[in-house]
Amino acid sequence: MKQTPRLEEFKKSVTNRFNVYNSLFLNLPYRNIENVGMIIPLMLDQCQEGLKSGKNPKEILEGFFENYVDLKSEKDRIDFMFRIIQYVERQVVLYDSVEDAAFPKLFEHSSNLTIKDYFELVDKNKSWDKIAEQLSTFSSRLVLTAHPTQFYTPAVLDIISELRTLILEDNIDDIDVTLQQLGLTSLINSKKPTPLDEAKNIIYILRNVYYDAVGELYAYLRKNIKNAEFENYDIIKLGFWPGGDRDGNPFVTADITSDVADELRVTLMKCYYNDLKKLQKKLTFGAVQDSLVTLRENLYTAMFNPKKHVGYKDIIGPLEKIRTILIEKFHGLYLEDLDYFMDKVKIFKTHFATLDVRQDHSIHTKVVETILKQNGLIKEDLSELSEDELVDVLLHKDLQLKAEDFEEGIVQDTIKNIGQLKAIQEKNGQEGCTRYIISNSEDIFSVLFVFGLFRWCGWDSKEITFDIVPLFETMNGMDTSEDTMQKLFSIPEYMAHVNKRSQKHTIMLGFSDGTKDGGYLKANWSIIKTKESLSGVCAKHNVKAIFFDGRGGPPARGGGKTHRFYASQTKDIANNEIQLTIQGQTITSTYGTKEQFMYNCEQLLTAGLSNNFFGDKNVISKEQRDLIEELSELSFSKYDALKHHDKFMPYLENRSTLKYYTKANIGSRPGKRGNKAKLELSDLRAISFVGSWSQLKQNVPGYFGLGTAIKAMKDQGRIEEVKALYRDVPVFRALMSNSMMSLSKCYFELTSYMKEDKEYGDFWMILLNEYNLSKEMLLLVSDSKILMEKEAVSRESIKIRENIVLPLLVIQQYALQKIGADSSFKELYEKIVTRSLYGNINASRNSA
């Protein structure tokens, strides 16, 4: 382990630099907030000491107001708290910038396998033929989502980028000016963003980071792999959900989907135009000028006019002609520059990122039922048809649908959306929009409803150029997934469609809703077992299984150490591609700079490939499986009891920030599915569910039940078996390590006042006891003295971030206490809670 040098570098490049720039930042003079920056360190000290001594947030802040800032009126205190929030939000931005700037130096001390290391191992093992073959077909797809946990505007992202550059140069004067700019720039949206706004924010990152990063990574691979014929332009693919993901978001319409597809293509044309302009300064030879000028003019027009269609062949054709002329007449001068640009064109074509469409199965059920009712095939509902009859209707009944023939908005929009997908493919290329994902899939009709809708919306069943992707995310969905896919593959018409799709089938698995439904260990173990069983079903039918993981930021939603998770997958899981969602803070925190993007993409590639070439295959014996199964069921039993506790949902509604997520102008989606008056767990979005536990510093979904499960093994005298499991089974070790990250971000002292709460005190004690037990048991199993013992840098980063936002968390809890006491300033306190979400979310970087 290179832990010590890396930790030393972290303290030098991150801790020390942050302290220097933070002292500069805290002294900035702003109107109406003089000296607030000077008070923040004192407030942090009072919060830390107060919570340690058992004081509640109300006591801490009221004592602080009286003794240190002499604020008597409640309105003055509220104004002061808003000013503290503004400062802390910007401290988080400053820390992000410092840590991101230090990434290249920290990377030098990383013990993880890079592509360069990987190639050296391949060289040593004389396995270039094998690796070249694997690399020629392997792929990683990062799918960027618009889930509401990231809300920096392009203006703020520009400031962060500028700060990173200045920090690397130690340019103190310009840093001072940029920090002043940061202090005067709003960090939050003045109004709720539209889906198009969300798309544009993420397209900004595509243009300014990923366009060059993907090009450079591909160029590095091509240069270093010992295969002159290497041309896998799909080795790093980008997917895109904003504007296509309509699951639970009524604001994503067919028109929005079309606008976002145009925005992706037009932005890509801008990237191409800028690259071509640079290239033209080098290619000054007369023989290539006509081709260059014509192409540049076409790209220029396409940059500003979405109706201007410049196809892939219209771009690559002239470039190939220029390439031939360079070789034949100009000694290949600047050929490498041209090839670099051409490779980008071959990677991104005319789509930039593949726009996925997603909708919930319940919506398709409603749409199909409405269609069949209107066409006289049923009277009231689908139960009038047997399973075989319904399958026959979906596969063979010819209907011609027009959106305007239906009254209900969701039916109209679904038909319009499916009908417009051909036009999107014509403009952006087939890769521009080629997947339709169905949330909450639990049977064959989740897929067949979509297959039927495509047929009825004008698609020939033999020419549906779309992958229909079931998303198994509930416990029931995963339990029945093997039977679902077996039945689908047994349908000749559907199998003909799969064969047309290169005999591949993408299957999505949802970590977030799985964890919400089944608890941490059971959900993750179920996903692993489901992948194994589905790999077997696909292999039996000569279909390549492609698994697409719906992962969030924190461990509770499938996040944590991504490389560790994929490197630990068993040999029985199909390993043709790695596909995962990248969302929220993860977009900017893990893939936000070119260096971070390239490093983490390399980690995905090495994780996916190394299982095939180095070391023993990851195999879990029957005895080990039985033990994980026991732990999984014991853990689930404890979590399920909590989930059904009569205070579970009321606690979240009345003692957490749950209801305030929908009030923050973070994302365009509503906070829950449906319009039921009473909030139910099944309707609750995983983001606000997990995020609310994170704001409470209780992180329940990331560990709850583990302590009880492991303690049961200990009481049976079987703790050595669990220790051996942790030591010998990589996938179990990865899950436990990620859970320890969740535990390390807990801070029950923040809410210890709740133990005196007449209504929720006993419930809070249940949470605390399981936290303490889980921490104790995981330290025992891992033979560790502290959580994340071997991850000193991550531990140190978490510590700094938690200290930055502690005043924010105390203010948030104080405001919640005031709201509970029905203060006359209730509306302002609710605004305080809402505003405090932003800094806390960004500081955690993987909180939701």
Side-chain angles (χ1 to χ4, degrees):
M1 291 290 291
K2 297 180 181 179
Q3 192 67 69
T4 304
R6 193 161 187 257
L7 184 58
E8 288 173 358
E9 183 61 52
F10 180 87
K11 287 180 177 177
K12 183 172 69 175
S13 297
V14 178
T15 309
N16 293 345
R17 273 184 167 170
F18 174 67
N19 289 335
V20 169
Y21 299 136
N22 191 41
S23 63
L24 182 71
F25 175 72
L26 292 176
N27 281 287
L28 291 177
Y30 298 124
R31 193 178 67 177
N32 299 327
I33 49 177
E34 290 87 354
N35 301 320
V36 170
M38 302 294 289
I39 291 168
I40 286 177
L42 177 61
M43 191 178 196
L44 170 62
D45 180 69
Q46 291 299 300
C47 291
Q48 289 174 326
E49 293 302 316
L51 291 172
K52 282 179 186 175
S53 64
K55 291 182 180 178
N56 69 49
K58 188 169 180 286
E59 291 172 323
I60 293 168
L61 285 185
E62 288 183 350
F64 184 80
F65 294 144
E66 289 175 12
N67 299 323
Y68 296 100
V69 288
D70 192 29
L71 295 171
K72 300 300 183 187
S73 81
E74 189 166 7
K75 183 64 170 62
D76 285 344
R77 292 178 176 188
I78 288 171
D79 290 343
F80 176 81
M81 285 187 283
F82 273 117
R83 294 198 292 271
I84 292 288
I85 291 169
Q86 287 176 294
Y87 249 97
V88 172
E89 286 172 342
R90 286 157 179 79
Q91 275 186 295
V92 172
V93 173
L94 174 60
Y95 184 76
D96 284 348
S97 302
V98 171
E99 196 168 68
D100 290 348
F103 181 82
K105 287 188 176 180
L106 292 173
F107 161 71
E108 291 174 11
H109 299 285
S110 172
S111 58
N112 290 338
L113 198 68
T114 66
I115 284 288
K116 182 181 178 183
D117 299 328
Y118 187 76
F119 284 167
E120 286 176 0
L121 282 169
V122 173
D123 217 17
K124 184 179 177 182
N125 286 273
K126 309 296 183 189
S127 50
W128 271 110
D129 289 345
K130 194 175 180 184
I131 186 63
E133 180 184 348
Q134 182 75 2
L135 276 171
S136 67
T137 57
F138 193 78
S139 176
S140 289
R141 185 194 294 245
L142 303 175
V143 181
L144 308 171
T145 79
H147 292 349
T149 57
Q150 177 59 53
F151 40 80
Y152 284 147
T153 63
V156 176
L157 291 174
D158 278 336
I159 292 173
I160 292 173
S161 177
E162 179 68 11
L163 274 174
R164 277 196 299 259
T165 303
L166 296 172
I167 287 166
L168 285 170
E169 298 169 355
D170 275 326
N171 189 332
I172 197 80
D173 292 332
D174 287 347
I175 288 171
D176 183 25
V177 173
T178 308
L179 287 175
Q180 290 182 52
Q181 179 190 359
L182 174 63
L184 297 168
T185 301
S186 175
L187 268 65
I188 63 172
N189 298 308
S190 58
K191 59 182 181 180
K192 208 170 183 66
T194 66
L196 185 58
D197 292 332
E198 290 173 328
K200 286 181 177 180
N201 279 354
I202 298 177
I203 289 171
Y204 170 93
I205 300 171
L206 281 177
R207 179 181 181 181
N208 290 283
V209 179
Y210 297 171
Y211 176 73
D212 284 331
V214 173
E216 285 189 27
L217 181 56
Y218 184 81
Y220 178 82
L221 288 169
R222 189 168 187 176
K223 184 177 180 180
N224 287 276
I225 191 169
K226 294 185 178 178
N227 179 9
E229 305 301 316
F230 177 74
E231 281 191 341
N232 180 6
Y233 296 107
D234 289 333
I235 196 161
I236 298 291
K237 294 186 285 190
L238 298 175
F240 203 80
W241 274 18
D245 180 10
R246 57 232 316 119
D247 176 15
N249 192 341
F251 307 112
V252 177
T253 63
D255 289 341
I256 287 288
T257 302
S258 180
D259 288 344
V260 171
D262 285 344
E263 190 72 26
L264 281 164
R265 186 185 67 259
V266 165
T267 303
L268 180 61
M269 295 304 118
K270 292 175 183 176
C271 294
Y272 286 164
Y273 179 83
N274 288 332
D275 268 3
L276 188 66
K277 191 165 68 171
K278 292 174 190 172
L279 196 60
Q280 196 172 9
K281 290 180 180 179
K282 296 179 178 179
L283 303 182
T284 52
F285 323 122
V288 300
Q289 287 307 302
D290 286 348
S291 296
L292 279 171
V293 170
T294 301
L295 178 55
R296 185 171 168 177
E297 287 175 351
N298 284 337
L299 291 175
Y300 186 82
T301 306
M303 283 166 53
F304 300 104
N305 182 5
K307 294 180 180 178
K308 169 70 174 177
H309 180 225
V310 179
Y312 170 66
K313 289 182 179 178
D314 299 327
I315 302 170
I316 204 67
L319 294 175
E320 286 174 340
K321 182 180 177 183
I322 291 167
R323 190 178 193 278
T324 301
I325 294 171
L326 283 185
I327 293 170
E328 291 178 352
K329 297 184 178 181
F330 300 101
H331 317 293
L333 194 61
Y334 294 122
L335 187 62
E336 190 174 335
D337 299 78
L338 177 62
D339 283 345
Y340 178 57
F341 177 45
M342 288 178 69
D343 282 344
K344 284 184 180 178
V345 174
K346 290 174 182 177
I347 292 166
F348 298 117
K349 298 185 174 64
T350 53
H351 63 280
F352 214 163
T354 299
L355 180 62
D356 288 343
V357 176
R358 182 172 76 130
Q359 182 57 283
D360 192 83
H361 174 50
S362 62
I363 299 296
H364 297 138
T365 303
K366 183 176 186 176
V367 171
V368 168
E369 193 168 74
T370 303
I371 291 167
L372 297 189
K373 190 174 176 182
Q374 185 152 319
N375 281 273
L377 295 167
I378 58 173
K379 290 182 179 178
E380 292 299 330
D381 58 60
L382 295 174
S383 63
E384 297 164 31
L385 299 174
S386 69
E387 181 174 309
D388 287 344
E389 287 171 334
L390 184 53
V391 169
D392 184 61
V393 168
L394 295 166
L395 295 178
H396 303 121
K397 187 68 178 176
D398 290 326
L399 301 174
Q400 291 184 336
L401 303 181
K402 292 181 180 178
E404 58 268 24
D405 291 341
F406 297 85
E407 293 182 4
E408 198 160 356
I410 190 64
V411 179
Q412 286 183 348
D413 194 73
T414 302
I415 294 168
K416 185 178 177 183
N417 174 236
I418 294 174
Q420 74 176 355
L421 296 177
K422 277 183 183 176
I424 291 175
Q425 286 190 345
E426 285 169 6
K427 290 192 290 184
N428 287 30
Q430 194 175 120
E431 291 174 65
C433 191
T434 188
R435 307 200 303 185
Y436 198 114
I437 300 160
I438 308 105
S439 303
N440 283 307
S441 294
E442 295 193 348
D443 57 32
I444 60 170
F445 293 108
S446 59
V447 171
L448 293 183
F449 281 169
V450 174
F451 188 83
L453 285 169
F454 266 84
R455 290 182 57 248
W456 299 337
C457 290
W459 294 73
D460 185 325
S461 60
K462 295 178 182 178
E463 299 297 335
I464 297 175
T465 52
F466 262 76
D467 296 325
I468 303 174
V469 181
L471 166 50
F472 301 114
E473 51 192 332
T474 62
M475 290 296 104
N476 184 59
M478 284 188 271
D479 289 344
T480 59
S481 61
E482 183 178 0
D483 182 59
T484 296
M485 297 311 298
Q486 177 66 48
K487 284 182 178 178
L488 284 170
F489 291 150
S490 300
I491 297 172
E493 293 88 344
Y494 187 72
M495 201 58 199
H497 166 70
V498 174
N499 289 335
K500 280 276 187 182
R501 302 301 297 158
S502 304
Q503 288 183 281
K504 294 180 180 178
H505 204 294
T506 303
I507 301 168
M508 189 173 178
L509 296 159
F511 287 76
S512 301
D513 284 287
T515 302
K516 187 185 76 174
D517 190 23
Y520 178 72
L521 182 57
K522 184 175 177 65
N524 280 276
W525 178 235
S526 295
I527 285 171
I528 290 160
K529 291 190 298 178
T530 301
K531 282 187 174 184
E532 291 177 334
S533 64
L534 292 177
S535 296
V537 170
C538 288
K540 177 182 172 184
H541 291 273
N542 296 315
V543 173
K544 263 190 174 181
I546 308 293
F547 291 115
F548 176 22
D549 293 325
R551 297 166 66 89
R557 299 188 56 230
K561 300 291 184 180
T562 306
H563 173 271
R564 186 159 58 196
F565 173 79
Y566 286 109
S568 69
Q569 295 205 93
T570 68
K571 70 175 183 64
D572 295 319
I573 294 175
N575 189 34
N576 300 304
E577 290 189 21
I578 287 178
Q579 297 193 6
L580 69 157
T581 52
I582 304 294
Q583 63 192 46
Q585 308 99 304
T586 315
I587 293 176
T588 49
S589 67
T590 310
Y591 297 88
T593 68
K594 188 164 66 175
E595 293 82 7
Q596 288 172 322
F597 179 91
M598 292 174 69
Y599 171 77
N600 285 296
C601 284
E602 283 188 28
Q603 291 297 291
L604 289 178
L605 290 175
T606 57
L609 295 171
S610 58
N611 285 338
N612 296 331
F613 295 99
F614 308 116
D616 298 326
K617 297 279 188 182
N618 289 326
V619 178
I620 307 177
S621 69
K622 183 182 183 304
E623 293 75 18
Q624 291 167 334
R625 285 179 177 274
D626 290 344
L627 180 53
I628 298 176
E629 197 69 45
E630 278 188 78
L631 288 165
S632 169
E633 290 306 318
L634 286 166
S635 177
F636 172 68
S637 179
K638 180 70 174 177
Y639 175 75
D640 197 50
L642 181 77
K643 198 172 68 170
H644 289 97
H645 194 289
D646 61 354
K647 298 300 180 189
F648 184 78
M649 289 307 295
Y651 179 80
L652 277 174
E653 280 194 279
N654 301 313
R655 290 295 182 270
S656 83
T657 58
L658 181 65
K659 67 182 75 170
Y660 299 97
Y661 267 81
T662 56
K663 295 181 180 182
N665 292 326
I666 298 174
S668 67
R669 287 202 310 183
K672 67 184 183 77
R673 295 179 174 94
N675 298 306
K676 296 175 188 171
K678 184 181 178 183
L679 183 64
E680 295 180 10
L681 184 61
S682 58
D683 297 325
L684 191 57
R685 292 207 165 279
I687 286 171
S688 46
F689 175 70
V690 173
S692 296
W693 289 114
S694 173
Q695 296 276 328
L696 284 167
K697 290 297 160 190
Q698 293 170 358
N699 290 331
V700 163
Y703 64 84
F704 199 89
L706 277 179
T708 294
I710 297 171
K711 179 69 162 51
M713 294 294 108
K714 184 187 176 190
D715 291 345
Q716 294 174 30
R718 300 171 64 190
I719 194 64
E720 292 305 319
E721 291 179 46
V722 185
K723 284 187 173 186
L725 199 64
Y726 180 87
R727 184 181 63 246
D728 300 334
V729 180
V731 72
F732 183 75
R733 186 167 61 251
L735 292 176
M736 296 304 101
S737 297
N738 280 341
S739 191
M740 283 190 269
M741 181 190 291
S742 287
L743 287 164
S744 72
K745 292 186 177 183
C746 290
Y747 191 54
F748 272 81
E749 289 89 339
L750 178 69
T751 54
S752 62
Y753 70 91
M754 289 187 189
K755 66 186 172 189
E756 309 297 336
D757 191 303
K758 289 182 181 179
E759 187 172 357
Y760 299 107
D762 291 343
F763 183 81
W764 185 88
M765 286 303 301
I766 292 171
L767 305 180
L768 175 67
N769 291 336
E770 187 62 21
Y771 160 76
N772 286 329
L773 185 60
S774 297
K775 181 178 176 181
E776 179 189 348
M777 290 298 104
L778 282 170
L779 290 176
L780 176 65
V781 166
S782 62
D783 284 323
S784 303
K785 292 183 175 62
I786 57 173
L787 294 170
M788 300 178 71
E789 187 171 77
K790 295 180 179 178
E791 298 175 67
V793 166
S794 295
R795 211 171 58 238
E796 202 63 25
S797 177
I798 290 170
K799 179 182 173 183
I800 295 171
R801 290 176 178 279
E802 298 295 305
N803 279 338
I804 291 172
V805 295
L806 186 59
L808 217 58
L809 291 164
V810 171
I811 286 172
Q812 184 183 87
Q813 286 298 314
Y814 173 77
L816 286 168
Q817 284 181 284
K818 283 287 192 177
I819 293 165
D822 209 22
S823 164
S824 58
F825 291 96
K826 184 177 179 181
E827 191 175 326
L828 285 173
Y829 283 118
E830 287 183 334
K831 286 183 179 179
I832 282 178
V833 175
T834 304
R835 274 298 304 274
S836 65
L837 292 173
Y838 295 84
N840 291 334
I841 289 171
N842 276 339
S844 292
R845 282 205 155 181
N846 67 352
S847 64

